[in-house]
Amino acid sequence: MSTSEIDRQWTTRLRRRVEGKLPPEKLLPDTQPTYVSSWIYVFGIATLSSLGVVIGTGCILALRGPQWWHGSAYGHFINSMHLWSVEIFFFAMVVHLWGKFAMAAWRGGRALTWMTGVVTFLVSIGAGFTGYVSQSNFDSQWISTQAKDGINATGAGAYFNVLNLGQMLMWHIVLLPLGAIVLTGMHVLMVRIKGVVPPFEEGAEVAE
Amino acid sequence: MAFLLSFAALIPLDNLGHYIQWHIIEISVANLIVMILMVVTFIVALVAPFPGRSRRKENR
């Protein structure tokens, strides 16, 4: 195979592009700018950490099933951990959002970082909602019957029927977590590529 | 397990929720507390000193 043929391969082009945009020292940096030493920058990683606990406890719940999480003390404990890690996830994500909004974090070519964060937030709301209607208890019945008319009025009912427990559970444990994880991965990679947005007083140093 | 159950007993969750109503706005006390906590956390995160910040500035 000639050199020009190798150069044209999509694997070669993709590798060179990734190497150029995301060298190892950018992907896993050992230092951060001075302005990152503020509590407001902590909430991004707090959101990411709580997402890890959400996924971990969700996997345990998926392995053991509803009878276990409703009927055993250990199941209640893991079920509660799943709920409270979601609470911390949204709490930290909202504070992260406020902080990034206040510092206009889309500056310096970071629009895609901002938008992946926005869409992750929306997907997470969907994941939270489908979690509430997948509990398989009276609470989930109440929430789904309260929500059905609103959802059906949007025309989404054919693919998103809140009274269909099986469909809601699949949305909750497959489609929406997949979306949230992929988008979160993209978001973190975009932060690594573009760097953490500096505060306004250091605006002159905003880098592409 | 009794240790875990003692945590669960800290806040009674079997009672009816409390709601605050103001004109067309109705919100549960629990949600209002979470929203207030988020605002307080946001303000504290902006003003609270971060450990080691002054040392990092000196090394700059």
Side-chain angles (χ1 to χ4, degrees), chain A residues 14-208:
Chain A
L14 181 64
R15 187 186 67 242
R16 285 179 183 160
R17 196 166 174 196
V18 169
E19 281 172 353
K21 281 196 176 286
L22 202 61
E25 61 273 16
K26 258 188 162 182
L27 182 64
L28 293 170
D30 42 26
T31 56
Q32 286 291 333
T34 313
Y35 55 78
V36 176
S37 55
S38 161
W39 285 110
I40 199 65
Y41 286 96
V42 168
F43 290 90
I45 194 64
T47 309
L48 201 59
S49 307
S50 48
L51 178 64
V53 180
V54 172
I55 301 291
T57 51
C59 288
I60 298 172
L61 292 176
L63 284 170
R64 304 302 294 266
Q67 284 77 19
W68 177 76
W69 80 59
H70 283 310
S72 73
Y74 186 45
H76 282 151
F77 177 67
I78 297 295
N79 195 13
S80 296
M81 271 189 76
H82 193 61
L83 168 74
W84 285 105
S85 53
V86 168
E87 300 280 349
I88 295 169
F89 172 74
F90 276 103
F91 190 103
M93 185 157 52
V94 168
V95 178
H96 177 63
L97 167 68
W98 288 345
K100 295 301 155 188
F101 182 76
M103 57 182 89
W106 50 84
R107 287 175 294 144
R110 293 177 177 83
L112 193 58
T113 315
W114 174 260
M115 286 315 299
T116 48
V118 169
V119 180
T120 308
F121 184 47
L122 296 175
V123 168
S124 302
I125 291 171
F129 173 71
T130 51
Y132 275 116
V133 297
S134 304
Q135 295 173 92
S136 64
N137 58 13
F138 287 127
D139 189 35
S140 57
Q141 287 184 18
W142 168 259
I143 293 167
S144 55
T145 48
Q146 293 300 300
K148 67 179 171 47
D149 292 339
I151 298 285
N152 290 341
T154 67
Y159 298 99
F160 198 85
N161 177 6
V162 292
L163 296 180
N164 185 340
L165 173 65
Q167 190 190 40
M168 286 301 103
L169 187 64
M170 288 297 118
W171 272 100
H172 182 66
I173 65 172
V174 179
L175 299 174
L176 291 167
L178 190 66
I181 292 167
V182 168
L183 284 164
T184 303
M186 283 173 65
H187 186 70
V188 172
L189 283 179
M190 290 306 298
V191 174
R192 294 274 54 89
I193 290 169
K194 296 287 182 181
V196 179
V197 69
F200 278 108
E201 61 266 24
E202 301 195 26
E205 296 173 22
V206 173
E208 274 289 321

Side-chain angles (χ1 to χ4, degrees), chain B residues 19-27:
Chain B
Y19 286 80
I20 292 170
Q21 199 154 17
W22 183 67
H23 298 289
I24 59 164
I25 296 167
E26 187 179 84
I27 186 167

